[in-house]
Amino acid sequence: MGKVDKVSRLAGQVILICKVLMLVADVAFPPPQLVETNTNTTAPIMAAKIDGHIIIGGLFPIHNKGEKGCGAINADRGIERLEAFLFTIDEINNSSTLLPGITLGASAYDTCGRAPYALEQSLEFIRASISNLDPTEFYCSDGSKANPVSIPTAVAGVVGGSYSTVSIQVANLLRLFKIPQISYASTSASLSDKSRYEFFVRTVPPDDLQAKALADIVAKFNWSYVAAVHSEGEYGEPGIDQFKVEAKSKNICIAADIEIPISATNATYEQVLKDLQEKHEAKVVIVFVRTEDAMGLLNAATRLNVTGKFVWIASDAWGNRNALVKNNALAAQGAITLELQSSPITKFEEYFLNLNPRTNRRNPWFVEYWEDEHKCAWNDKPHVTPYSAGGPPQYQPTRPCQGDERLTRKLTSQESKTQFIYDAVYAFAHSLDRMQRDLCPGFRGVCSKMKKIDGEKLLRDYLLNISFDSCVNVKYRTESCAEAQQ
C-alpha cells in the first residue's frame, strides 16, 4: 500500500474518532428535544456484566465479521475468551489476599472484529468520564431533589481488543480519557509506539518477533526464493514489512507480495492463488494474514483443487486453529504455522466445560453459542442467528436443546490466548491492589481517594511496574507488558 493510501486511511481514522466524540457529546449532554421519554424505544446494548466496586471493561469478537456487519457466533475467539475473562474476575473476587474488601466487576462487549463497531461499544466505557454533572444540584418542579435514572459506572481499565485494527482504534479513543488498555492478542508492531498509544499495553509480544521467526524457518530449510501474502491493515502490513527486513538480512528473495484487501471476496482469494501460481519457482508462501483471510485462502485452494502446490508458512492468526483446516485438510497439508507460547489454565478448563445455559445468565450470548455448538434450538424455539451478515435473522429449524448436552475437547484444545487474558486481568488486579494499599493505608475496601480511579496514575505508577507469579509458573512483569519480556 502506498504512502498516499496510508495517509488517507489515517485521515479516515481521525474523522471516525471525531464522529465518535460528537456522538459521545450527544450521549453525555443530549439536547432536551432529543431526550428519549420512552426507554423501551431504544434497544439496550448487550453486555456481559458482573457487579463490583471497581469495573474492568472487556472487548471480545463474540461474533465474526460479516460482509455487512456482525456475522456468526465466534466460539473460541469470542465466547471462550469472554468466559476466560469472567472466570478470572471470579477467581480474583474469591481471593482472600488480593483486593480485600473490594469486589472487582466486569462489563464486556462484542466487537464483531470491526473497528467502527468496537468504537461504538467502547462509548459505554467513557460515558462516566464525561457525564460529570452532579444530579444533587438539580431540583424537580415540586422542589424535590432529582434522582438519576441510571449512573454510568466508570471503568478502571479495559482488557482488549483482539484484532490489532480494533485495538488501535479503541486505543485512540481511550487515551483521550486516560483509560489504560491491555490487549491479550493484538500483536501489531505499530502499537509499540508509545508516543501514539501511551495508554496501551499488552500481554503478547509484537509481530517483530514473529517476522524474525518466519525468516528463521525459511533460512533453516535453505529456501531462498519465496512468495508472500498479507492482509491490508495494521496486522498484515507491518508484519510483512518486518519480514522483508529479516529476509533481506538472510539473502531470501521475495518473488511477489500480494495484499488481500479488507473487503476481500471469494473471487479475491481465487485471484490471489492464480497470481501465486504464476510464480512457478516460488513454492514457499509466507502468510501474514488475518484469520478470516486465512480461511478464505484455504477455502479457495480447496475449491480450485490447489493442493500440494504450496508450502504455507503462516503467522499466529492461522496458528493452531482447527476451524481453518477442518474442511481444508488437503489444501493445508504440510503447512508450518506459528503459535505464541502459552500454557492452559487447568481451573478454567473445568469451569468452561461445565457451563450451561440454565445457569450462565451473565453471558447474554451463551445461548446462541450453545445452539450453534450443539445444532439445536433452546426452549424449542427456531434457531436464530441475529447477526448473520448484518441482515435479517436467519431461522433454521432444528431439534430442541435438552440442556444436558456437554461441551467437550474432542476436536479442540483450550483457546490459545486464554493465559494472556488471565494475565491481563491479574495485571489490573495486582495494580489496583497496590494502589489501594498506597492510597488507603489501613483501610479495607475502596476509600475516598479511589472513588474515582486516576487512570494515568494507575498506568504509570503501578501497571507498568507490576510483577507477580502467574498460575502457570511464569514470572509476570510489565513495563510495556510483553515488550519487556522479549
Side-chain angles (χ1 to χ4, degrees):
M1 175 173 286
K3 183 178 292 185
V4 173
D5 292 329
K6 290 185 177 181
V7 170
S8 298
R9 191 170 66 201
L10 180 60
Q13 292 177 356
V14 172
I15 292 172
L16 182 58
I17 291 291
C18 290
K19 288 181 177 179
V20 167
L21 291 178
M22 292 172 63
L23 180 58
V24 167
D26 288 340
V27 171
F29 312 108
Q33 67 270 24
L34 296 181
V35 175
E36 286 283 0
T37 56
N38 182 359
T39 57
N40 292 327
T41 61
T42 302
I45 294 178
M46 294 180 70
K49 290 183 177 290
I50 297 176
D51 292 333
H53 301 107
I54 299 175
I55 305 298
I56 302 296
L59 291 172
F60 302 91
I62 304 298
H63 291 87
N64 287 306
K65 178 181 176 182
E67 290 185 7
K68 298 180 181 179
C70 297
I73 197 76
N74 192 347
D76 52 357
R77 290 186 136 199
I79 293 296
E80 189 167 346
R81 288 180 180 181
L82 169 61
E83 289 297 343
F85 173 71
L86 299 175
F87 164 82
T88 310
I89 296 284
D90 288 342
E91 186 174 272
I92 291 168
N93 286 335
N94 290 328
S95 170
S96 59
T97 58
L98 198 57
L99 292 171
I102 297 176
T103 299
L104 204 59
S107 185
Y109 298 89
D110 185 5
T111 68
C112 295
R114 288 180 170 273
Y117 189 81
L119 275 177
E120 182 182 339
Q121 303 299 294
S122 297
L123 291 178
E124 296 303 306
F125 297 143
I126 63 176
R127 283 180 62 207
S129 300
I130 56 177
S131 298
N132 53 8
L133 295 178
D134 184 357
T136 61
E137 297 178 358
F138 297 88
Y139 291 86
C140 300
S141 57
D142 61 0
S144 61
K145 284 189 176 182
N147 293 316
V149 176
S150 64
I151 301 177
T153 303
V155 296
V158 175
V159 172
S162 179
Y163 296 112
S164 293
T165 50
V166 167
S167 286
I168 284 174
Q169 294 283 20
V170 172
N172 282 327
L173 179 64
L174 296 183
R175 67 188 289 268
L176 301 178
F177 300 90
K178 299 182 178 180
I179 299 175
Q181 173 188 3
I182 304 180
S183 174
Y184 49 83
S186 297
T187 55
S188 172
S190 302
L191 286 161
S192 297
D193 184 353
K194 296 308 169 189
S195 65
R196 295 174 61 192
Y197 309 109
E198 65 270 38
F199 281 84
F200 176 89
V201 290
R202 51 186 164 193
T203 53
V204 289
D207 285 332
D208 307 49
L209 301 182
Q210 285 203 73
K212 185 177 187 306
L214 291 170
D216 286 344
I217 291 171
V218 173
K220 178 69 175 178
F221 286 95
N222 294 317
W223 292 318
S224 58
Y225 193 63
V226 303
V229 180
H230 73 271
S231 292
E232 178 187 357
E234 295 295 344
Y235 175 73
E237 290 177 44
I240 206 65
D241 286 346
Q242 187 60 38
F243 172 78
K244 291 177 181 178
V245 172
E246 298 292 340
K248 184 177 181 180
S249 70
K250 299 179 186 298
N251 296 317
I252 300 169
C253 295
I254 300 175
D257 176 22
I258 303 171
E259 180 174 272
I260 299 177
I262 291 176
S263 57
T265 63
N266 287 340
T268 305
Y269 299 120
E270 291 176 4
Q271 186 59 51
V272 168
L273 289 172
K274 292 174 183 176
D275 291 343
L276 288 173
Q277 286 180 293
E278 291 181 0
K279 304 297 179 180
H280 304 290
E281 302 300 320
K283 301 300 183 184
V284 176
V285 181
I286 306 302
V287 182
F288 220 116
V289 301
R290 288 164 50 116
T291 302
E292 54 264 42
D293 288 335
M295 175 72 84
L297 206 58
L298 288 175
N299 287 345
T302 298
R303 286 195 304 272
L304 298 178
N305 194 27
V306 182
T307 59
K309 296 186 181 296
F310 303 113
V311 176
W312 308 106
I313 313 293
S315 64
D316 73 316
W318 179 334
N320 64 354
R321 286 172 179 79
N322 291 313
L324 298 183
V325 301
K326 185 169 59 175
N327 298 318
N328 300 303
L330 291 178
Q333 190 172 22
I336 300 174
T337 65
L338 297 183
E339 185 60 75
L340 302 182
Q341 182 177 357
S342 63
S343 300
I345 308 295
T346 305
K347 292 173 288 185
F348 172 70
E349 193 75 359
E350 181 181 357
Y351 161 86
F352 185 72
L353 295 181
N354 283 284
L355 287 174
N356 188 286
R358 290 196 180 98
T359 56
N360 189 9
R361 299 292 186 180
R362 63 189 181 183
N363 182 345
W365 304 283
F366 195 75
V367 167
E368 185 183 353
Y369 160 74
W370 191 268
E371 290 180 320
D372 182 73
E373 184 73 12
H374 299 291
K375 303 297 182 288
C376 61
W378 190 251
N379 289 339
D380 297 327
K381 294 179 181 178
H383 181 63
V384 180
T385 307
Y387 294 91
S388 181
Q394 304 297 311
Y395 293 89
Q396 303 170 1
T398 61
R399 64 178 180 83
C401 298
Q402 301 300 315
D404 56 0
E405 296 87 359
R406 300 286 295 179
L407 298 175
T408 67
R409 293 290 192 190
K410 289 180 180 179
L411 298 177
T412 60
S413 57
Q414 189 174 108
E415 212 285 322
S416 61
K417 299 299 190 294
T418 297
Q419 180 196 330
F420 304 127
I421 297 168
Y422 188 87
D423 288 341
V425 180
Y426 262 97
F428 271 125
H430 281 282
S431 298
L432 289 165
D433 183 71
R434 295 191 183 184
M435 186 184 212
Q436 193 273 345
R437 294 175 192 275
D438 289 346
L439 299 183
C440 315
F443 188 88
R444 181 181 173 88
V446 178
C447 67
S448 58
K449 291 183 178 180
M450 285 189 69
K451 289 294 184 183
K452 185 174 182 180
I453 302 294
D454 183 337
E456 187 168 14
K457 184 176 182 63
L458 176 63
L459 176 74
R460 307 294 181 199
D461 295 351
Y462 301 98
L463 194 56
L464 295 184
N465 301 296
I466 201 66
S467 176
F468 60 91
D469 291 319
S470 177
C471 73
V472 291
N473 298 319
V474 174
K475 187 70 174 180
Y476 183 86
R477 182 172 183 267
T478 68
E479 287 174 8
S480 289
C481 276
E483 278 90 341
Q485 302 177 36
Q486 296 178 21

